[in-house]
Amino acid sequence: MVSSKKSAVLVDGVILNGPTTDAKAGEKFVEEACRLIMEEVVLKATDVNEKVCEWRSPEQLKQLLDLEMRDTGEPHHRLLELCQDVIRYSVKTNHPRFFNQLYAGLDYYSLVARFMIEALNPSVYTYEVSPVFLLVEEAVLKKMIEFIGWKEGDGIFNPGGSVSNMYAMNLARYKYCPDIKEKGLSGLPRLILFTSAECHYSMKKAASFLGIGTDNVCFVETDGRGKMIPDELERQIWQARKEGAAPFLVCATSGTTVLGAFDPLDEIADICERHGLWLHVDASWGGSALLSRKHRKLLHGVHRADSVAWNPHKMLMAGIQCCALLVKDKSDLLKKCYSAKASYLFQQDKFYDVSYDTGDKSIQCSRRPDAFKFWMTWKALGTSGLEERVNRALALSRYLVEEIKKREGFKLLLEPEYANICFWYIPPSLREMEEGPEFWAKLNLVAPAIKERMMKKGSLMLSYQPHRGKVNFFRQVVISPQVSREDMDFLLDEIDLLGRDM
């Protein structure tokens, strides 16, 4: 609202006196919206009687939601109704029976951190505008580096593990040929990198984005458990050199997306040392096992990596997005590779220690303080609490595996070593059929049909996929501490209920 004053100042027909925002009305709207979020999201997050989703087709949802943006604003009561609709028709990823992705559940401490971040609206590039959050990021990175097993290192939080993998690929290339930053790709040999056939698809995207080319990504064959075969890696490196290519990077995976496999890092590191190659470990999913004394052996040898991607928003529930790239180097390689020395941000004659202006290590300008979410959870639970979270998730996974083995109509693909449990549900009509082409063709249709039924019912969410010659199967992932043994039993009971007539 505009205050009427006799001495009103007008510029281009706009009154400049006083604020034009009704702060009281805005504050009331925020208060009412927060109450709605608390009642409809937070308090219902662990209620298994609530639906995981209220499924509607895209066309139905367009009719139900008022998506049009108009010339004039709408009253607050209408905006609150819209908020209610958004909550109702969104997937409840906090629900104990949401198992669809590699993230799930509600961590109350990181949620509060997210609320604070949104209210403060900071950008983490210079100490002058983000003093607390830069110090928090430094402390969190230092602790994560310690768990990797490095005495020192560097790092930065990024918007996703895919971006961390791209950072690492570009950093390895810069280390191999520093002139590329100024002179570009012209005159370079054919650069080639090696990664597991089970790697995350972001490796192909990064190679495409960076101009390396997807044809120059060599996918190394894996064994029956999805682990990279070291002898095959070395064979491909020699073959690439024989063809005149220039190997510069090996990307190993600790916790593959589908099977949850962990590559043999020590053997891969030996090969990288022999050939002078940068070793990056994509531990976006599996890195959190480092916090468990019982399970950290899954990443044995990770300390020998040159860089590591690790996403606390997955197993440790720090809230999307919370993803770090960690680098063993302490020679400012990140800054040398990415800095543009913008004089309007990174002035060198500031009155404080400009080494805290870490934004020039990033390809971003504006950057969220994602480390704060993880820091808040770590402060609340302690390392022991985070360790317990990992141990419990893997114990529940083991319970589900044993239940699958007991139940008729359920069949494991393989014994898992992490929280990925991959299995088929075989309906009664197929249980006596010989496992030939017709059997597999029919079984391929089962998981998608059950997924449709569970989504429309809203009882749970579970992912499925075909994978490397195997027909569609379910992939169950346990993360949230709100998940119980009863939820594991319900999962199997519900799949059988939804699929027994197929």
Side-chain angles (χ1 to χ4, degrees):
M1 298 290 99
V2 179
S3 301
S4 58
K5 291 186 177 181
K6 292 181 180 178
S7 57
V9 175
L10 279 80
V11 175
D12 294 335
V14 179
I15 298 174
L16 302 183
N17 295 56
T20 59
T21 302
D22 186 345
K24 291 295 183 185
E27 290 163 5
K28 184 180 179 184
F29 175 70
V30 170
E31 183 179 346
E32 291 177 350
C34 285
R35 188 180 302 117
L36 178 66
I37 292 167
M38 191 68 193
E39 292 172 357
E40 296 299 319
V41 180
V42 178
L43 295 180
K44 293 182 178 180
T46 59
D47 188 350
V48 295
N49 296 311
E50 294 289 328
K51 287 187 175 183
V52 179
C53 62
E54 190 76 48
W55 172 258
R56 296 292 187 277
S57 71
E59 290 308 315
Q60 289 174 324
L61 203 51
K62 287 177 185 178
Q63 294 298 317
L64 289 166
L65 298 175
D66 180 8
L67 297 173
E68 184 182 351
M69 290 151 287
R70 301 175 177 86
D71 291 339
T72 56
E74 302 185 37
H76 284 179
H77 72 86
R78 178 61 188 137
L79 296 178
L80 290 169
E81 290 172 359
L82 292 172
C83 290
Q84 182 79 62
D85 288 341
V86 168
I87 293 170
R88 179 181 178 185
Y89 295 112
S90 291
V91 173
K92 310 307 186 292
T93 64
N94 299 328
H95 196 287
R97 292 170 182 171
F98 174 82
F99 305 115
N100 209 64
Q101 313 297 149
L102 298 183
Y103 69 91
L106 176 62
D107 180 86
Y108 300 101
Y109 307 105
S110 71
L111 179 62
V112 168
R114 281 181 271 171
F115 287 161
M116 291 175 65
I117 288 168
E118 295 304 328
L120 290 167
N121 197 33
S123 182
V124 187
Y125 35 54
T126 62
Y127 183 83
E128 63 187 274
V129 297
S130 200
V132 174
F133 295 121
L134 275 167
L135 294 181
V136 165
E137 182 173 74
E138 179 186 59
V140 173
L141 288 169
K142 182 179 179 182
K143 199 70 174 175
M144 294 175 80
I145 285 167
E146 178 184 317
F147 274 92
I148 288 173
W150 298 336
K151 292 182 179 178
E152 57 182 3
D154 198 1
I156 194 164
F157 274 78
N158 303 304
S162 295
V163 175
S164 293
N165 288 336
M166 185 184 72
Y167 265 79
M169 189 179 294
N170 194 47
L171 199 61
R173 182 174 65 174
Y174 175 78
K175 178 76 171 179
Y176 181 82
C177 45
D179 287 347
I180 193 172
K181 183 176 179 181
E182 287 80 26
K183 296 180 180 178
L185 297 171
S186 59
L188 285 180
R190 179 193 168 204
L191 296 177
I192 198 163
L193 64 102
F194 306 86
T195 188
S196 160
E198 297 274 349
C199 75
H200 191 260
Y201 66 86
S202 61
M203 298 306 294
K204 285 182 73 172
K205 288 197 172 190
S208 172
F209 185 83
L210 294 171
I212 292 167
T214 56
D215 284 351
N216 295 315
V217 180
C218 291
F219 295 101
V220 180
E221 195 48 68
T222 57
D223 63 18
R225 297 189 57 79
K227 299 170 181 286
M228 186 191 292
I229 301 171
D231 288 345
E232 181 64 16
L233 169 63
E234 188 143 41
R235 186 193 68 77
Q236 287 202 28
I237 293 170
W238 283 118
Q239 181 64 30
R241 288 205 159 122
K242 183 179 178 182
E243 294 171 359
F248 74 102
L249 167 68
V250 173
C251 175
T253 309
S254 289
T256 59
T257 305
V258 177
L259 301 180
F262 287 73
D263 288 338
L265 299 181
D266 256 335
E267 294 173 71
I268 293 170
D270 288 342
I271 294 168
C272 289
E273 286 179 7
R274 282 199 296 272
H275 292 273
L277 304 180
W278 184 285
L279 173 57
H280 172 64
V281 176
D282 179 6
S284 297
W285 171 222
S288 298
L290 289 168
L291 290 169
S292 167
R293 285 165 289 187
K294 183 175 182 179
H295 298 291
R296 67 174 54 149
K297 60 188 176 185
L298 290 168
L299 291 99
H300 182 72
V302 70
H303 65 285
R304 300 177 64 186
D306 296 291
S307 57
V308 176
W310 178 0
N311 294 3
H313 77 229
K314 296 184 185 291
M315 179 67 78
L316 299 177
M317 301 169 56
I320 290 178
Q321 293 165 320
C322 188
C323 313
L325 173 71
L326 305 152
V327 184
K328 187 185 290 185
D329 175 87
K330 268 301 282 184
S331 68
D332 264 347
L333 190 66
L334 265 173
K335 190 171 183 179
K336 291 172 186 174
C337 180
Y338 292 110
S339 67
K341 300 179 181 177
S343 60
Y344 61 88
L345 270 181
F346 305 112
Q347 304 94 330
Q348 297 303 296
D349 56 356
K350 292 181 180 179
F351 65 93
Y352 60 85
D353 183 354
V354 296
S355 68
Y356 287 98
D357 289 355
T358 59
D360 222 10
K361 294 192 295 187
S362 171
I363 59 172
Q364 300 169 252
C365 181
S366 300
R367 189 167 64 91
R368 293 169 58 83
D370 292 327
F372 180 60
K373 298 178 288 188
F374 188 28
W375 178 83
M376 185 71 86
T377 298
W378 207 327
K379 291 288 282 186
L381 301 181
T383 303
S384 61
L386 295 176
E387 178 181 28
E388 182 183 346
R389 185 168 284 182
V390 174
N391 290 345
R392 189 175 189 278
L394 294 181
L396 273 172
S397 300
R398 176 47 51 191
Y399 171 82
L400 181 61
V401 167
E402 296 307 315
E403 287 301 303
I404 287 171
K405 291 176 181 178
K406 295 176 189 175
R407 296 203 183 203
E408 185 181 8
F410 290 86
K411 182 178 180 179
L412 283 171
L413 265 74
L414 75 169
E415 285 284 339
E417 61 179 340
Y418 200 46
N420 307 47
I421 301 100
C422 299
F423 64 94
W424 286 289
Y425 173 72
I426 304 169
S429 65
L430 299 181
R431 289 175 193 170
E432 303 301 322
M433 186 180 292
E434 184 180 350
E435 292 186 4
E438 183 183 0
F439 170 85
W440 292 113
K442 289 185 175 182
L443 186 60
N444 189 53
L445 304 176
V446 171
I450 292 177
K451 176 66 177 281
E452 179 182 356
R453 291 179 179 185
M454 72 172 65
M455 290 283 290
K456 290 181 176 178
K457 185 178 178 182
S459 55
L460 74 155
M461 278 186 68
L462 181 67
S463 71
Y464 74 87
Q465 61 281 299
H467 186 68
R468 308 199 73 199
K470 292 182 171 64
V471 302
N472 282 319
F473 57 87
F474 290 112
R475 182 203 63 177
Q476 155 73 355
V477 178
V478 182
I479 295 174
S480 171
Q482 281 101 25
V483 175
S484 66
R485 175 191 63 78
E486 290 82 359
D487 295 314
M488 299 293 95
D489 294 337
F490 175 84
L491 169 78
L492 300 181
D493 291 341
E494 186 72 357
I495 289 173
D496 186 48
L497 177 67
L498 295 172
R500 67 176 59 155
D501 65 339
M502 292 181 181

